[in-house]
Amino acid sequence: MEHRRLGEKYGWHFIRTDYPYTHRMFRVRQDTLRWPDGQVRPFTYIETKPVVLIVPLTEAGEVVLIRQFRYPLDRWFWEIPAGGSHDFDGDDLLELARRELREEVGGEAESWEAMGTCYLGLGLMPQRLHLYLARGVRLHEQETEVGEIIEVHPVPFAQALAMARSGEIESGPVACALFRAEARLRG
Amino acid sequence: MEHRRLGEKYGWHFIRTDYPYTHRMFRVRQDTLRWPDGQVRPFTYIETKPVVLIVPLTEAGEVVLIRQFRYPLDRWFWEIPAGGSHDFDGDDLLELARRELREEVGGEAESWEAMGTCYLGLGLMPQRLHLYLARGVRLHEQETEVGEIIEVHPVPFAQALAMARSGEIESGPVACALFRAEARLRG
């Protein structure tokens, strides 16, 4: 049984949850509800495992961007290191962030700071992303997995912001992480 | 048959596509591939219909933020008007943007400018978002649908950027749209 206290207040009444499709990385969740208009209908959305997203800063003040080839879109994208948990319910997220930084760019950080969360989408794909700022990053050899094609590109932080404004950086989660890091680097 | 020219170059060989789960708003796509290591395995991801995201500016230079209650997360979020197409393959996206602006905030714009695209995710959920800047927006009555609980909050553009930096704005796509609009409002 779910507790959706605000949902109840706004007229949703929860009846039950089904998972009509489950994959290693996500599951399709279907809640049967009485909606605010009194009708019973499903509300269907995707549940995923927690994801971490890392803004790595070198001692020289550069942010370590990556260029990654993405099979589904058949293109390269500007991104930052990121990765998903193996569990739906948990995992040590900071440890996951350390591992992804090491694997994707060969990075080791002197200090880590949690920058809160952001969301991939809010309706169909309410996936939570945990943001970290890694400072004093030194780069060694990458340890990428099969199918990960990643180039490492440190750039000045102001240039990364300019790339988000111009549209060279096209990822919503990366934009969210850059705004959050901007607040910390100004402060 | 799919053409993934770069994918072929980097060692993926496409064999076939299946859709093991289809919903009105999305479908699960499973491509069977020979991967760069020579093994045959599926690559599974979510395909969705095109989405538009609108940065509405009033004549006073305010951006019309919305606060929306999201059932799956049982919380309110700061967002901007957005909406999905009814087709996987198309639709008139500008017309969709006009409709969403009218429905969600009761807005009518004097001019529209396309600001390119951004992506929700790039791996599991490679969903493309089409960004629009709507200028000279006047606000009338909302025409929300069942289950849409939306408040309308015009704020100065600089305040919206500050909210993205502080973490009050938690949506990746909204962060992406604000960066893109910032470039146009400075220029």
Side-chain angles (χ1 to χ4, degrees):
Chain A
M1 179 59 195
E2 292 273 315
H3 293 283
R4 298 270 164 116
R5 288 184 303 178
L6 276 172
E8 291 276 337
K9 179 176 162 191
Y10 296 125
W12 276 279
H13 177 72
F14 174 81
I15 298 170
R16 70 167 191 279
T17 293
D18 298 289
Y19 294 100
Y21 183 83
T22 299
H23 176 264
R24 187 172 49 87
M25 298 297 290
F26 66 91
R27 54 192 178 192
V28 176
R29 175 172 175 157
Q30 185 178 286
D31 285 4
T32 301
L33 305 171
R34 189 174 316 117
W35 283 54
D37 63 351
Q39 301 285 315
V40 173
R41 317 186 182 84
F43 193 118
T44 306
Y45 54 101
I46 314 284
E47 274 190 351
T48 54
K49 299 175 183 179
V51 169
V52 296
L53 206 60
I54 303 126
V55 178
L57 290 176
T58 66
E59 291 197 330
E62 292 185 310
V63 54
V64 184
L65 297 184
I66 62 178
R67 250 175 99 68
Q68 182 159 8
F69 178 74
R70 293 296 198 165
Y71 164 78
L73 296 158
D74 199 45
R75 275 183 48 200
W76 291 83
F77 287 89
W78 287 105
E79 302 180 47
I80 56 179
S85 169
H86 294 282
D87 260 326
F88 275 101
D89 287 322
D91 240 358
D92 179 337
L93 296 175
L94 178 56
E95 185 48 39
L96 176 63
R98 281 186 212 279
R99 191 168 69 232
E100 292 295 341
L101 184 66
R102 193 167 54 238
E103 289 178 1
E104 297 198 344
V105 303
E108 297 286 345
E110 273 179 14
S111 69
W112 288 86
E113 188 179 331
M115 300 196 294
T117 57
C118 72
Y119 288 84
L120 201 75
L122 294 168
L124 189 56
M125 299 173 193
Q127 179 174 0
R128 201 168 178 194
L129 307 156
H130 299 264
L131 309 177
Y132 289 94
L133 185 63
R135 294 182 193 255
V137 170
R138 288 171 198 215
L139 299 174
H140 309 282
E141 283 292 301
Q142 288 170 287
E143 304 160 18
T144 52
E145 296 175 70
V146 173
E148 285 190 332
I149 303 178
I150 296 175
E151 292 176 2
V152 180
H153 291 274
V155 306
F157 190 76
Q159 184 180 332
L161 293 177
M163 289 168 72
R165 287 186 206 111
S166 72
E168 280 176 276
I169 288 175
E170 297 163 89
S171 152
V174 174
C176 204
L178 289 177
F179 266 127
R180 218 63 70 80
E182 191 186 2
R184 276 160 180 83
L185 298 180
R186 288 179 162 197
Chain B
M1 179 60 195
E2 293 272 313
H3 294 284
R4 299 267 164 119
R5 287 186 303 179
L6 277 174
E8 291 275 336
K9 181 176 160 192
Y10 296 124
W12 276 277
H13 177 71
F14 174 82
I15 298 169
R16 68 165 194 281
T17 293
D18 299 289
Y19 294 100
Y21 183 84
T22 299
H23 176 265
R24 187 172 50 87
M25 298 295 290
F26 66 92
R27 56 192 176 191
V28 176
R29 175 171 176 160
Q30 184 177 287
D31 285 4
T32 301
L33 305 171
R34 189 175 316 119
W35 282 54
D37 63 352
Q39 302 284 315
V40 172
R41 309 185 188 88
F43 193 118
T44 306
Y45 53 102
I46 313 284
E47 274 190 353
T48 53
K49 300 175 183 178
V51 169
V52 297
L53 207 60
I54 304 126
V55 177
L57 290 175
T58 66
E59 291 197 333
E62 291 184 310
V63 53
V64 184
L65 297 185
I66 61 178
R67 249 173 101 68
Q68 182 160 7
F69 178 74
R70 292 297 196 164
Y71 163 79
L73 296 158
D74 199 46
R75 277 183 47 202
W76 291 82
F77 287 88
W78 286 105
E79 302 181 46
I80 56 178
S85 168
H86 294 283
D87 260 326
F88 275 101
D89 288 323
D91 240 357
D92 180 336
L93 295 175
L94 178 56
E95 184 49 38
L96 176 62
R98 281 186 211 279
R99 191 168 69 231
E100 292 295 340
L101 184 66
R102 193 166 54 239
E103 288 178 2
E104 297 198 344
V105 303
E108 297 285 345
E110 272 179 13
S111 70
W112 287 85
E113 187 179 332
M115 298 196 294
T117 57
C118 72
Y119 288 84
L120 200 73
L122 295 168
L124 190 58
M125 298 173 193
Q127 180 173 359
R128 201 170 177 193
L129 305 156
H130 299 264
L131 308 176
Y132 288 94
L133 185 63
R135 294 182 193 256
V137 170
R138 289 172 196 214
L139 299 175
H140 309 282
E141 283 292 301
Q142 287 170 287
E143 305 161 17
T144 51
E145 296 176 70
V146 173
E148 285 189 333
I149 304 180
I150 295 174
E151 294 177 2
V152 180
H153 292 274
V155 306
F157 190 76
Q159 184 180 333
L161 293 179
M163 290 168 72
R165 287 187 207 111
S166 72
E168 281 177 277
I169 288 175
E170 297 164 89
S171 152
V174 174
C176 205
L178 289 177
F179 266 127
R180 217 62 71 78
E182 192 186 1
R184 276 160 180 83
L185 298 180
R186 290 178 159 195

